[in-house]
Amino acid sequence: VGISALPAGEVSAQPPTGENAWAECLRDLKRTLEGGRVFVLGRGRRYALRDPSKAVGDISREACGEAFDELSRAISRELSAQASAQRAPAPEADLAHKAHFDDSAGGCVRLGDDAAATPPQADEADRGRLEQLTRRVAANISVAPGIQAVLFHDLPPALWQPTFVVCVGQDQVRVMTLAFVGEPVAGDRPSCKRTPYLLKVLTADLAADAAPPPSKYAVCMADEAVESTLGHLHRLEPCVLAAAAVGRWEGVEGMNMVLRNTTQEARIAASRAQARMTDKDKADGGERRQRHPPPSPVQGCRQVGDRAARMRANFEQRAQSPAVGGPSAPAPRAPRGGSCSYPASRGMPLEATAAGVSVLADGFSVRSVAG
């Protein structure tokens, strides 16, 4: 079942209130980090944010607290580096062991352990603002905003291959979510399930002092040639990096201009080219079809049956009726071997026997018979 009108709108995701609600938010963050689908984008590159815990599936209070602290350090590191303009690359000899190309992270550069160094200690006020900012970010590294968006439009409450990007630039921090939504669903595992539709949710600036406005979401046609949200993120990355560098996100909000569905465009172009065929060409094609209609299987069978009836009647007439103005017509001469065979019958019984000729009921077999 496809989506007739591509949805778009706004959705709000506020940090949870209450100890139980916040604990559930931290567990979701921990599981998402384990899945390897959280990225930090800023200073002209993107890298994966990994779960600091070595125990997979550990959602204890301590493990969830470590995941929150890792997210907080990543945000603080990016903001501090951009504020102090520390963009000078390290020597190539040092980069050899600090970074490597990570295919599993969607073709991004994954930094090594040295990149996780704790930033300089901030004062108490800065730590309070950082914790508030991290809570806002953590609340959006969740499928909850996307589920709200699809439920607004009566779509199935499922987000396939959700991917989250923490975008840092120009003292702004935003979270972008990409996920497949709608139906039909293809793929044999949850990690590779996809649909023809891609949901994008982009928050406002979460680093603002005031409460951020609602996030904007939109659904667009996914390119059939790209089977993962990481692939779509790779295509969006130049636009997102440019937006983070200048602090203007209008281009990312108009995602349909970036995620051009080349496969769909080719089909539309072919359909339009076919529609441009003139009425005269269509009429000429119809006349040609009328002049040369395809043979009908039913008519072919009737023709074979009529031929058999004519052959049978001809042989019976020649065998039983004397020729006009002369003696009786001689029986048809048989070839050597004493029989004259047409295509074999299907076991039909003998219908007529006369002097010198025998005709089977199907009219295709003839043999000489003694008079």
Side-chain angles (χ1 to χ4, degrees), residues 279-341:
D279 295 338
K280 181 178 182 300
D281 294 335
K282 294 181 179 179
D284 292 343
E287 292 178 0
R288 285 194 298 270
R289 287 191 295 270
Q290 291 178 2
R291 288 197 300 266
H292 305 283
S296 173
V298 177
Q299 293 178 357
C301 294
R302 289 176 179 172
Q303 291 174 0
V304 173
D306 294 342
R307 181 188 176 192
R310 289 195 302 270
M311 292 175 61
R312 182 171 62 249
N314 184 34
F315 281 119
E316 291 177 351
Q317 182 179 5
R318 296 180 59 184
Q320 298 177 3
S321 302
V324 178
S328 299
R333 298 182 59 186
R336 296 181 182 179
S339 64
C340 176
S341 299

Side-chain angles (χ1 to χ4, degrees), residues 74-89:
I75 297 173
S76 177
R77 181 167 55 243
E78 282 297 324
L79 290 174
S80 300
Q82 293 182 20
S84 58
Q86 295 179 355
R87 296 189 58 184

Side-chain angles (χ1 to χ4, degrees), residues 98-113:
K98 287 185 179 180
H100 66 276
F101 194 77
D102 190 357
D103 290 330
S104 64
C108 69
V109 175
R110 176 185 171 189
L111 302 182
D113 294 335

Side-chain angles (χ1 to χ4, degrees), residues 13-16 21-33 38 49 64-72 75 130-145 164-166 173-177 203 206-207 212:
Q14 298 297 331
W22 179 242
E24 181 63 27
C25 179
L26 290 180
R27 286 192 290 269
D28 291 342
L29 174 64
K30 174 64 167 57
R31 297 188 188 99
T32 307
L33 289 182
V38 180
L49 186 62
C64 293
E66 291 178 1
F68 180 83
D69 293 340
E70 180 68 13
L71 176 62
S72 180
I75 297 173
L130 178 60
E131 181 177 1
Q132 180 186 25
L133 172 59
T134 307
R135 281 175 172 263
R136 291 178 177 178
V137 172
N140 285 275
I141 302 180
S142 168
V143 298
F164 306 91
V165 186
V166 182
V173 179
R174 300 170 184 257
V175 177
M176 184 177 67
T177 304
T203 70
L206 302 178

Side-chain angles (χ1 to χ4, degrees), residues 220-246:
C220 74
M221 294 294 298
D223 194 335
E224 296 178 1
V226 183
E227 299 182 352
S228 68
T229 53
L230 294 180
H232 285 288
L233 175 59
H234 182 69
R235 299 180 60 184
L236 268 175
E237 189 169 356
C239 183
V240 179
L241 286 172
V246 300

